Amino acid sequence: MTEPVSGRNRLDEEASPYLQQHADNPVNWQPWDESALEEARERDVPIFLSVGYSACHWCHVMAEESFEDEQVAEVLNEEFVPIKVDREERPDLDRVYQTVCQLVTGGGGWPLSAFLTPEGKPFYVGTYFPPEPQPGRNVPGFEQLCRQIADSWSDPEQRGEMENRAEQWTSAARDRMEPAESPDGESAPPSTDILDDAAAAAIRGADRQHGGFGQGGPKFPHPGRVELLLRVASLSDDPEPLTVAENALNAMGSGGLYDHLGGGFHRYCVDEDWTVPHFEKMAYDNATIPAAFLAGYSATGRERYADVVGETLDFVERELSHPEGGFFSTLDARSETPEARLDEGEDPDREEGAFYVWTPAEVRDLLDEPAATLFCRRYGVVAGGNFEGGTSVLNETVPVAELVGAEIEVAGETVEAPDDADEIHDLLADARERLFAAREERPRPPRDEKVLAGWNGLLIETFARSGFVLDDDARIERARSALSFVREQLWDADEGHLSRRFKDGQVGIDGALEDYAFLGRGAFELYQATGDVAPLAFALDLAEAISESFYDPEDGTLYLASSESEELVARPQELTDQSTPSSVGAAVSLLLDLDHFTDEDLGSVARETLATHRGRIEASPVEHGTLAMAADTAERGSLELTVAAEELPDEWRGTLADHYLPGAVVARRPPTEAGLQDWLDELGLDEAPPIWADREARDGEPTVYACRSFTCSPPETDLATALDWVEENL
């Protein structure tokens, strides 16, 4: 037997900040690699797999309680090969074992704790385990659990039962992740009814009292459901989809999920009324949630939604920007206790939410009256607080209208607040600026500085679209710089290969389907916003790689890992929307959109995938929201707006921004055939695709052609006229 690699903790060799956090543990953690897996087989001992991420609160808790404990480390090191995985780096591994956890326990999440056979098959799974047993919850203590499993593994009879269970669970996971035949045996995508079915399910699950979806807590944002409802509202006279979507947006934007001083969204709220969040801030949430608010703004014209988008993207630029162009991954939930909250001689601790919460005394130390009292009333900062240690998470608890002319106690005297709402708004805005500046002096939450291709793609898409809709060219340029960085650092053009992660100059890990799909969507959105052919060419490169490397024609589906990736105990797919959109749904949507621009048959891959999963999509359409929207596009056809112009006229840009056109493809092209030929040469096309062919500018004027399902408007030199034709005819 070779010298065991698990004789020491090897995480100091890893680039992942999450793995680096555990490099000093007494547990001899191994990365997931062939050396660690081979040792488990040679020693014939189980693998203990711990999956988490750097900003995960309960991951930190379990680490401090168990992984820093010498006795726990002793049993893990002697009886197991302990392996640590950053779920942000290995979504394929996470998806396989999360699927098992959900099948067995009915839930999942992080930290994910799985005990595996030496072959990687799971026989015991859970999430957070406390250090001591919790009899009321029937949860064992972690050290006790490890010893029991080690003892059972050494008993031949019990080991046989464990291995049999591992085979059953692995088989169940494979069944769950394998393609399923459509119930009637027909090979056809879902019909356009699927969008209405998904909306009806979302409406049934809506919390009418508190906003959002699901009864009770915790409350997750589900931005994809909001966008689905807004799309249905644009196609229907029924007011319910719009009402439910607005209720969700209002709840997310007014409660503790949103950072009312610095912008940006936390991960989710632990309660039913959106008061207290888990405080980590994820790049993907701060891409997908503002995208839903942007759609809400386009659908309703509510300026508050646009403000939330702007404030959130300001946060991303300020807090998550790599100096050379990309975007970092997360901010931790925890930070050191601010000095003002420490008693004399007390050492600071790392506390969840410490950076974000306030007490009335802290507010009054920074603001004069009546601003201090008005701020505390508006944002629910009260004695005793709504969070730990008597602190308060900021929530919009009192409408501004109720503060106008309100009576306020100041130094024992009663005075009236200003009687003008605009003056109150100005006063509160100044208060937020002052408190934000003071908060900047507090110890900051740690930042995970991985640059992930897929999450950057989500942000690029939102920055490009928001820049176009809100007439902010700086946002578009930020999207351009991020795409340039990711393309330069992570894309190998010669091989047609995308890597997933960049960190401190190190590039690693094969891109997953979500990386190709999300980045492709970002590049395509940047093309639509700018009319530049380069991002379109890159989006097409990514789409062709998806078709070639992730699509299995025998199974008729797109897998999360490419055909050349490491073989796991099951090959995962991401069909349902989770904390990020379904990677299969995003890929199908991308392939449908880009099928207009290439002679490659991308559309057939998209439609075959939809047909393969029709049964699952129809059985639970709201859980498959991204796929349901893609299925609607496949059946209904997307609205195509071919624009032949050197530059998009300002008036046209305003017209497009003022219309909510979900799923529309804005196919910009040069005004002349000679200019188009230059594009075709760059794209490697022998002839113009139909969306561009014979659609040049008329009489030297910017010209638009509006089409859907092979029905087109006359060429128009007035965009508003073309859109009127669409409303009347399509």
Side-chain angles (χ1 to χ4, degrees), residues 238-307:
D238 183 357
E240 278 295 273
L242 181 60
T243 297
V244 172
E246 286 191 280
N247 288 345
L249 292 173
N250 295 341
M252 290 190 285
S254 63
L257 188 76
Y258 186 61
D259 180 352
H260 294 276
L261 295 186
F265 288 90
H266 302 293
R267 178 68 194 89
Y268 65 94
C269 284
V270 301
D271 43 40
E272 66 178 353
D273 57 2
W274 301 93
T275 299
V276 175
H278 263 317
F279 290 90
E280 58 262 43
K281 285 184 172 181
M282 317 296 293
Y284 57 76
D285 285 322
N286 287 286
T288 57
I289 300 176
F293 273 84
L294 186 66
Y297 170 74
S298 295
T300 68
R302 293 188 60 172
E303 288 295 333
R304 174 57 181 156
Y305 296 162
D307 290 343

Side-chain angles (χ1 to χ4, degrees), residues 193-206:
D193 292 340
I194 195 65
L195 207 59
D196 290 332
D197 294 342
I203 290 169
R204 286 194 302 271

Side-chain angles (χ1 to χ4, degrees), residues 336-366:
E336 287 190 355
T337 312
E339 187 176 349
R341 295 188 197 137
L342 297 173
D343 294 330
E344 186 175 349
E346 184 183 2
D347 292 329
D349 196 4
R350 293 190 67 219
E351 301 179 53
E352 186 180 13
F355 183 73
Y356 300 101
V357 296
W358 293 87
T359 66
E362 290 171 342
V363 173
R364 290 192 168 90
D365 282 344
L366 295 164

Side-chain angles (χ1 to χ4, degrees), residues 711-726:
T711 302
C712 296
S713 73
E716 296 285 356
T717 55
D718 179 68
L719 177 60
T721 301
L723 293 177
D724 289 342
W725 184 91
V726 168

Side-chain angles (χ1 to χ4, degrees), residues 430-494:
D430 179 71
R432 289 195 301 271
E433 288 183 13
R434 290 173 180 271
L435 294 181
F436 173 77
R439 194 180 77 175
E440 288 292 279
E441 301 301 317
R442 293 176 176 176
R444 306 188 67 78
R447 180 170 65 190
D448 185 323
E449 296 190 349
K450 294 193 304 289
V451 176
L452 297 174
W455 295 8
N456 272 253
L458 293 173
L459 282 164
I460 290 164
E461 183 177 14
T462 300
F463 268 81
R465 187 183 306 155
S466 69
F468 186 86
V469 171
L470 302 179
D471 194 19
D472 188 341
D473 288 339
R475 299 286 194 215
I476 295 175
E477 288 307 307
R478 186 65 187 88
R480 194 194 305 271
S481 69
L483 184 65
S484 176
F485 178 85
V486 174
R487 185 173 185 175
E488 179 180 345
Q489 299 295 342
L490 296 176
W491 175 247
D492 184 332
D494 293 335

